[in-house]
């Protein structure tokens, strides 16, 4: 049975050997798959395309990312009986889920309908003879050609990563605890841009034309800020009381970038109370003289903290469940990954380009167009 997180939750594991987070890219894999099975797994994980699947190519020539290797390990280790339970739970949990792909849901239904009477005698490792299917264009994985493998494959994607392809495309299924997150420079850089953004957003809120610094704009500014700190600030640790503060823990990381983005996105927006303050304070409306600076500050803090309190109360419903999908956050995560993963080249229809390079091309084209 899967770990007792409940069917609503996604398991986030630490990557093995955290002292060497990229060790999995160099060690020799010990997967119990045939070449045709490994092709099907790589196809489902998005490593290869439908055009390449089934052709005579060496799997050893394919560059497999640590995320894909992690998922292949989980698929290889997952028992069929456990996979069946995960798939059955997923069918119940995601029934009527508009964000769950309909064809993927139907695939799970067909996998459950074809469960053999005795799963212990299944032949797990064998060559797949049928590889090409015309029923599903550009989605060959939807056709069941290897039931034991595909039930484990779908169950692993749901349990160890995410049932939604949009989430899997921009997140990692594991956590590397060796990567620094809550550092001094994160708070310094994040709060600095929050201060600047709050001033600009609040000052131009009721002016025409309106000027604002959105989260995506600040994300672009956070990258050079972090890189500049990485280059200029000395590697020094200061001690304050019983605490040690590392001024420069090393390269600016994706986690630091994400945390500083969260600090800005949660704090730099114009509070809703500013509209109430304008109406109460201005003479053309109510003209209330008792609306002092202290009242404005306390009123704003109370409304903001009330929102954070509700967010804390509702996190078990709005954050933890795998069905708690917030589409507006996905572009923020995708942009952070594009900015930080400069060396990641993805093959798309025969040509390769990193997310960072693609972002620069799109950014320059958009700038020239506008």
């Amino acid at each position: 049975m899967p770990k007792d997180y409940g069917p609503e939750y996604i398991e986030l594991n630490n990557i093995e050997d955290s002292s060497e987070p990229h060790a999995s890219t160099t060690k020799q894999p010990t997967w119990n798959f045939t070449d045709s099975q490994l092709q099907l797994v790589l196809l489902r994980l998005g490593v290869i395309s439908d055009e390449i699947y089934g052709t005579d190519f060496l799997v050893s020539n394919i560059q497999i990312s640590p995320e894909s290797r992690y998922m292949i390990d989980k698929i290889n280790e997952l028992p069929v009986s456990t996979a069946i339970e995960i798939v059955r739970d997923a069918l119940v949990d995601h029934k009527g889920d508009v964000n769950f792909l309909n064809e993927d849901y139907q695939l799970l239904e067909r996998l459950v309908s074809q469960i053999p009477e005795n799963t212990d005698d299944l032949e797990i490792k064998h060559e797949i003879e049928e590889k090409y299917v015309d029923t599903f264009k550009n989605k060959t994985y939807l056709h069941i050609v290897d039931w034991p493998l595909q039930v484990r494959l779908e169950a692993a994607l749901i349990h160890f990563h995410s049932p939604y392809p949009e989430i899997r495309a921009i997140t990692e299924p594991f956590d590397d605890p060796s990567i620094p997150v809550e550092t001094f420079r994160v708070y310094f850089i994040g709060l600095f841009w929050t201060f600047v953004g709050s001033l600009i957003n609040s000052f131009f809120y009721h002016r025409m034309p309106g000027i604002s610094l959105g989260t995506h704009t600040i994300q672009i500014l956070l990258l050079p800020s972090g890189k500049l700190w990485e280059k200029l600030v000395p590697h020094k640790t200061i001690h304050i009381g019983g605490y040690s503060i590392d001024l420069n823990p090393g390269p600016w990381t994706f986690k630091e970038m994400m945390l500083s983005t969260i600090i800005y996105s949660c704090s730099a927006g114009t509070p809703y109370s500013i509209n109430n303050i304008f109406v109460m304070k201005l003479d053309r409306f109510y003209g209330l003289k008792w609306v002092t600076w202290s009242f404005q500050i306390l009123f704003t803090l109370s409304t903001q903290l009330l929102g954070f309190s509700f967010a804390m109360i509702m996190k078990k419903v709005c954050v933890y469940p795998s069905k708690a999908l917030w589409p507006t956050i996905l572009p923020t995560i995708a942009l952070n990954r594009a900015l930080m993963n400069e060396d990641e080249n993805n093959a798309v229809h025969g040509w390769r380009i990193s997310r960072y390079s693609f972002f620069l091309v799109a950014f320059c084209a958009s700038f020239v167009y506008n």
Side-chain angles (χ1 to χ4, degrees), residues 83-309:
I84 293 174
E85 295 298 326
I86 294 174
V87 171
R88 281 175 170 168
D89 290 339
L91 286 174
V92 176
D93 297 334
H94 296 282
K95 185 177 182 180
D97 186 356
V98 295
N99 295 312
F100 199 96
L101 292 179
N102 187 48
E103 54 264 33
D104 288 355
Y105 191 87
Q106 293 176 354
L107 173 61
L108 298 183
E109 289 181 324
R110 287 186 284 117
L111 287 172
V112 171
S113 66
Q114 298 181 21
I115 297 176
E117 295 182 0
N118 188 1
T119 59
D120 297 331
D121 297 334
L122 289 175
E123 183 183 357
I124 302 299
K125 185 176 181 180
H126 59 84
E127 292 291 340
I128 301 175
E129 297 180 358
E130 184 180 3
K131 296 181 180 180
Y132 290 98
V133 180
D134 297 328
T135 308
F136 307 101
K137 294 182 178 180
N138 297 325
K139 287 192 175 183
T140 308
Y141 72 89
L142 293 175
H143 188 76
I144 300 177
V145 294
D146 187 339
W147 186 89
L149 173 63
Q150 287 179 267
V151 72
R152 291 186 294 154
L153 175 55
E154 298 302 322
L157 288 175
I158 294 172
H159 188 67
F160 296 106
H161 202 172
S162 172
Y164 307 104
E166 301 89 349
I167 304 297
R168 296 196 298 265
I170 60 175
T171 60
E172 297 176 346
F174 53 76
D175 176 47
D176 187 354
S178 65
I179 299 177
V181 186
E182 197 174 6
T183 59
F184 173 77
R185 64 184 177 187
V186 164
Y187 286 106
F188 186 91
I189 295 174
L191 293 177
F192 169 78
W193 283 113
T194 298
F195 176 75
V196 174
S198 298
L199 286 178
I200 295 176
N201 294 339
S202 298
F203 184 79
F204 289 99
Y205 183 70
H206 286 289
R207 287 170 172 80
M208 296 296 291
I211 299 175
S212 63
L213 286 179
T215 302
H216 299 317
T217 304
I218 293 299
Q219 281 181 271
I220 301 175
L221 298 175
L222 285 173
L223 178 61
S225 300
K227 293 293 185 181
L228 195 63
W229 186 290
E230 172 190 331
K231 298 293 184 182
L232 300 181
V233 176
H235 295 270
K236 184 179 180 180
T237 301
I238 59 177
H239 301 277
I240 301 177
Y243 298 93
S244 299
I245 300 176
D246 192 352
L247 296 180
N248 191 351
W252 180 250
T253 66
F254 172 81
K255 289 186 177 182
E256 290 178 301
M257 182 83 167
M258 196 70 244
L259 180 55
S260 55
T261 303
I262 293 173
I263 292 174
Y264 181 85
S265 62
C266 291
S267 308
T270 304
Y272 297 122
S273 61
I274 194 172
N275 298 298
N276 303 78
I277 293 174
F278 279 132
V279 173
M280 290 187 294
K281 183 71 174 177
L282 295 178
D283 293 333
R284 65 182 302 176
F285 296 110
Y286 290 102
L288 301 177
K289 302 303 180 183
W290 52 266
V291 181
T292 60
W293 280 100
S294 58
F295 171 82
Q296 296 176 38
I297 293 174
L298 293 175
F299 180 62
T300 302
L301 285 176
S302 63
T303 55
Q304 293 295 99
L305 294 177
L306 183 64
F308 283 111
S309 300

Side-chain angles (χ1 to χ4, degrees), residues 19-36:
S19 61
E20 299 181 11
H22 300 290
S24 60
T25 61
T26 58
K27 68 179 182 180
Q28 185 68 23
T30 57
W31 301 320
N32 189 29
F33 298 127
T34 62
D35 289 341
S36 59

